[in-house]
Amino acid sequence: MLRFFVSFLLALSFLQNASADVNIGTWNLEHLSVRPNKDFQGIAKVAQKVDFLAVQELMNEDALQALAKELTRQTGKHWSAMASHAVGRSSYKEMYGFVWRDDVVAYEDGAVTYLDRNDTFEREPYSARFKSLKDGTTFVVATVHILYGKSQADRASEITALSDYWAWLKDTYPGNNQIMLMGDFNTPPTSPAWDHLDASAKPLMLAGASTLSTTDGKFANLYDNIFVSKNTAIRVNDVQVFNYPKFLGMTHAKGRDSVSDHAPIFLSANFSGGSPSTASAQPRPTLPNPMKPAVIANNGAKNLTVAIRGNKKTMVYHRPDCPSYNAISEKNRVEFDTAAAAEAQHYHLAGNCH
């Protein structure tokens, strides 16, 4: 009887832990924008396999909202989305995006784009903190798209700079070792370039490949990955490259044309598993909300700002959550630290901001 009772408790514990699992994904969706040949139905059919998805190569916020809308339609559950501002040194720019299922994950705080003082990154990483509604634990997701360039040497400088970024993440979200850095690194985890990354970080994908080759069923490079801390409280139950062309029943040529030349990385994780999270033992700091302007200081060396954007042609200003935040042309854009600073210069809030 005692043996049965112990077995029952173990089985119950397993079921409870499994029910707390959150499925996380990262996917380079290759120039994601609303255009006729982009298969949003197919993308959503794959994306609904996870509860939270980090997106790289997002070209505009309308595309991310279209994906969230299609996910809501297909699953019958509401999905939310948030995007970074457009990043890039040249006229070509990209955005990062997060999309999540509202009954499983909630945005907590701290949505910020890294202020790269050394101007190393072509596209500065983007991060935010979220909460698992299954067990109330919080986790941090950071995403990046490393410059491909003309050779591995072109990528190496950004990979090296990730060491400083990883340290910055730990300083910016103190008391939370449940940090995940994910995206398209354009570099396999076996590259010597990774030797510079903080020794406390480790990749979850060590073998396989995530970019579509020209041959159906075959993949070329393991460029996409998810990094976590070696002492993280995250219990990883499964991580895989998801073969989306096979799942959708399409050729690689069709997939590359209508979906992406990358397959997503999917992770099943329990954020309350493993060793206790230090986040629950220490008071959590107040981090910036994209609804409000804020500045985070990092040891006095780096500051990260979520800025108010004004249009000097229309004398209207926009918060980061406003629909037209990224629509202001470069020549008309002016930034303020706060809404009050904008209003002091006789700017007024855009009418489509709620």
Side-chain angles (χ1 to χ4, degrees), residues 38 45 47 50 63-64 68 83 86 91 100 108 114 118 121 146 154 193 216 230 240 251 258 260 280 283 301 342:
K38 204 66 171 178
K45 189 175 180 181
V50 294
L64 193 67
S91 58
W100 63 92
E108 185 78 349
Y114 181 58
N118 295 322
F121 291 103
I146 295 298
D154 292 334
D216 291 344
K230 289 182 179 179
Q240 62 172 301
T251 65
S258 62
S260 177
S280 61

Side-chain angles (χ1 to χ4, degrees), residues 15-330:
L15 290 174
Q16 288 175 333
N17 286 335
S19 66
D21 286 357
V22 177
N23 297 315
I24 306 288
T26 178
W27 200 358
N28 179 329
L29 279 169
E30 193 184 8
H31 300 150
L32 182 64
S33 61
V34 180
R35 59 183 193 273
N37 70 316
K38 204 66 171 178
D39 183 4
F40 277 85
Q41 290 187 8
I43 293 170
K45 189 175 180 181
V46 174
Q48 66 180 271
K49 294 291 182 182
V50 294
D51 307 306
F52 178 98
L53 183 69
V55 176
Q56 302 87 45
E57 280 201 38
L58 173 65
M59 306 314 293
N60 53 62
E61 194 169 359
D62 288 346
L64 193 67
Q65 294 298 334
L67 176 56
K69 183 177 180 180
E70 181 60 22
L71 281 163
T72 299
R73 187 190 71 80
Q74 288 190 19
T75 64
K77 304 291 184 178
H78 191 268
W79 289 68
S80 292
M82 64 190 302
S84 71
H85 65 271
V87 290
R89 296 180 194 160
S90 65
S91 58
Y92 173 79
K93 299 183 185 299
E94 297 175 0
M95 303 167 72
Y96 297 111
F98 296 135
V99 59
W100 63 92
R101 210 174 108 167
D102 287 335
D103 62 336
V104 180
V105 173
Y107 169 69
E108 185 78 349
D109 54 19
V112 285
T113 302
Y114 181 58
L115 184 58
D116 181 17
R117 293 288 187 185
N118 295 322
D119 201 26
T120 303
F121 291 103
E122 177 76 16
R123 297 172 284 261
E124 296 87 345
Y126 182 58
S127 62
R129 184 161 57 183
F130 296 86
K131 177 186 288 186
S132 165
L133 298 182
K134 292 187 173 184
D135 58 16
T137 54
T138 61
F139 59 94
V140 175
V141 178
T143 186
V144 67
H145 182 195
I146 295 298
L147 174 70
Y148 186 80
K150 297 179 180 179
S151 68
Q152 179 63 53
D154 292 334
R155 302 159 224 168
S157 61
E158 292 195 9
I159 295 296
T160 299
L162 285 176
S163 180
D164 288 338
Y165 181 60
W166 183 258
W168 179 89
L169 285 170
K170 292 191 294 184
D171 287 343
T172 302
Y173 304 94
N176 194 323
N177 72 342
Q178 303 189 123
I179 297 173
M180 295 173 286
L181 172 59
M182 59 186 68
D184 176 7
F185 298 95
N186 274 312
T187 305
T190 54
S191 170
W194 291 108
D195 293 344
H196 297 280
L197 186 60
D198 189 316
S200 67
K202 64 178 181 180
L204 294 181
M205 291 296 303
L206 297 173
S210 58
T211 61
L212 277 63
S213 74
T214 55
T215 303
D216 291 344
K218 293 186 178 181
F219 294 80
N221 307 287
L222 184 54
Y223 284 165
D224 305 270
N225 221 314
I226 300 174
F227 284 79
V228 298
S229 173
K230 289 182 179 179
N231 66 345
T232 184
I234 301 171
R235 188 179 66 223
V236 178
N237 297 316
D238 181 56
V239 61
Q240 62 172 301
V241 176
F242 188 79
N243 188 340
Y244 86 80
K246 180 178 180 180
F247 175 72
L248 295 177
M250 61 175 55
T251 65
H252 280 206
K254 177 64 175 176
R256 292 165 69 97
D257 179 64
S258 62
V259 179
S260 177
D261 57 348
H262 287 248
I265 304 290
F266 285 168
L267 165 70
S268 178
N270 188 306
F271 296 107
S272 59
S275 59
S277 170
T278 55
S280 61
Q282 301 178 23
R284 291 193 290 113
T286 300
L287 295 178
N289 187 311
M291 304 290 284
K292 301 175 182 178
V295 175
I296 298 178
N298 176 31
N299 297 329
K302 296 172 182 161
N303 290 323
L304 186 110
T305 305
V306 179
I308 296 294
R309 285 184 180 169
N311 186 326
K312 61 185 179 183
K313 183 177 181 181
T314 61
M315 297 301 289
V316 166
Y317 74 84
H318 306 256
R319 299 187 306 260
D321 60 296
C322 298
S324 301
Y325 184 74
N326 292 306
I328 307 170
S329 65
E330 292 277 354

